[in-house]
């Protein structure tokens, strides 16, 4: 009887030792797609994006802004209620970390629905070339995106003086982690607006077209470590051979 108990105790002690010496089970192999599809990656945050390594990336962007206003006393009933300010959809892409493009459309504007339609080629951080329809490099207020702006609308001075989007070509670049930037471009837009049609209100459209325009921008932020210091800049605008603003 004593031998039987000793044999049972020996078997119980040997079972954990045998399990510890057994080889681990092989991990399941990940699913690998054949061909170029193996490098495709997708994500939803912060916005829908599909990329293939550093070769190709496509990104979907949308801007929606719905305003409401009521007054007491009421001056004009037509000024009260809800209004769509922005209903934009854009596609932005990049190829081989050298070529970028963006196509953006405003679905609430029947006169000028296209906003940013441009392509950009980067030869170096100091030398990039952009062509198409985009904002003139004039005015920090108008150059700041509406999703990054501190206020709901841009200032009245910006909407009256700073040019908006025109068709042109621009050279631009940056150095020192964008502590120093420059941009200079030539633009031309002589399309007259129909006086009988009320234009769509959009605060980043800027002032009326100045025709053929040469505008430039030079900014510097030498104390990059101190985030509270503003960025200093110099802007210059020339239209049809006459200096307008600087």
């Amino acid at each position: 009887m004593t031998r039987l108990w000793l044999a049972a105790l020996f078997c119980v002690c040997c079972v954990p030792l045998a399990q510890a010496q057994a080889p681990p089970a092989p991990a399941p192999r990940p699913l690998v797609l054949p061909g170029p599809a193996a490098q495709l990656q997708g994500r939803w945050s912060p916005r829908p994006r599909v990329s293939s390594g550093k070769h190709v990336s496509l990104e979907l962007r949308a801007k929606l802004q719905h305003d409401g206003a009521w007054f007491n006393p009421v001056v004009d009933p037509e000024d009260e209620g809800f209004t769509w300010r922005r209903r934009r959809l854009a596609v932005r892409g990049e190829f081989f970390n050298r070529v970028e493009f963006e196509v953006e459309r405003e679905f609430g504007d029947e006169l000028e629905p296209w906003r940013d339609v441009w392509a950009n080629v980067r030869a170096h951080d100091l030398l990039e070339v952009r062509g198409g329809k985009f904002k003139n490099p004039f005015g920090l207020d108008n150059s700041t995106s509406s999703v990054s702006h501190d206020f709901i609308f841009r200032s009245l001075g910006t909407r009256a003086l700073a040019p908006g989007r025109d068709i042109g070509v621009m050279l631009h670049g940056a150095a020192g982690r964008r502590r120093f930037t420059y941009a200079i471009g030539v633009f031309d837009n002589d399309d007259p607006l129909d006086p009988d049609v009320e234009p769509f209100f959009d605060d980043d459209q800027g002032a009326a077209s100045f025709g053929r325009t040469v505008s430039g921008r030079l900014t510097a932020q030498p104390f990059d470590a101190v985030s509270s210091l503003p960025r200093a800049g110099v802007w210059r605008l020339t239209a049809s051979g006459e200096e307008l603003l600087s």
Side-chain angles (χ1 to χ4, degrees):
M1 190 65 178
T2 304
R3 294 180 179 179
L4 183 60
W5 279 104
L6 292 176
L9 182 60
F10 177 77
C11 292
V12 172
C13 294
C14 289
V15 170
L17 181 61
Q19 292 179 350
Q21 294 178 354
R29 300 179 60 185
L31 179 62
V32 179
L33 299 177
Q39 299 181 354
L40 286 178
Q41 297 178 351
R43 71 181 187 187
W44 288 98
S45 180
R47 55 184 65 91
R49 179 186 178 95
V50 177
S51 60
S52 176
K54 296 183 179 180
H55 304 300
V56 179
S57 67
L58 294 175
E59 192 173 80
L60 184 64
R61 300 186 174 193
K63 294 180 182 179
L64 298 176
Q65 180 179 344
H66 202 208
D67 295 348
W70 289 267
F71 303 94
N72 186 15
V74 178
V75 178
D76 189 351
E78 295 183 357
D79 293 337
E80 296 190 335
F82 291 100
T83 304
W84 280 105
R85 292 301 184 192
R86 288 183 177 88
R87 286 181 290 177
R88 298 185 190 177
L89 188 64
V91 176
R92 189 164 187 170
E94 185 175 356
F95 300 102
F96 303 101
N97 203 26
R98 292 291 182 182
V99 181
E100 297 177 90
F101 75 91
E102 182 174 359
V103 179
E104 184 182 53
R105 181 182 175 89
E106 169 61 60
F107 290 91
D109 192 352
E110 298 180 358
L111 295 179
E112 292 185 88
W114 298 107
R115 291 300 187 256
D116 289 316
V117 183
W118 52 263
N120 189 84
V121 178
R122 178 170 52 252
H124 190 270
D125 291 343
L126 288 172
L127 181 59
E128 299 186 35
V129 182
R130 177 174 299 187
K133 183 179 181 179
F134 52 96
K135 290 183 179 180
N136 283 239
F138 185 88
L140 184 59
D141 190 13
N142 200 41
S143 300
T144 304
S145 174
S146 58
V147 298
S148 304
H149 216 270
D150 294 331
F151 301 96
I152 299 177
F153 297 114
R154 291 174 172 83
S155 64
L156 180 61
T158 294
R159 301 201 301 266
L161 300 176
R165 293 177 174 88
D166 284 328
I167 299 175
V169 180
M170 178 178 70
L171 295 177
H172 63 108
R177 294 180 300 177
R178 301 196 63 83
R179 286 182 292 182
F180 301 93
T181 68
Y182 80 93
I184 182 170
V186 180
F187 302 87
D188 192 2
N189 187 4
D190 294 326
D191 295 336
L193 297 178
D194 189 351
D196 298 330
V197 180
E198 184 178 358
F200 178 78
F201 175 79
D202 196 344
D203 66 324
D204 68 353
Q205 283 291 81
S209 175
F210 293 102
R212 184 168 299 176
T213 306
V214 178
S215 59
R217 178 188 68 228
L218 179 65
T219 66
Q221 191 176 14
F223 304 103
D224 188 47
V226 184
S227 58
S228 60
L229 290 179
R231 174 173 297 181
V234 177
W235 289 264
R236 184 183 181 90
L237 176 65
T238 303
S240 302
E242 298 182 0
E243 181 181 348
L244 297 180
L245 298 169
S246 61

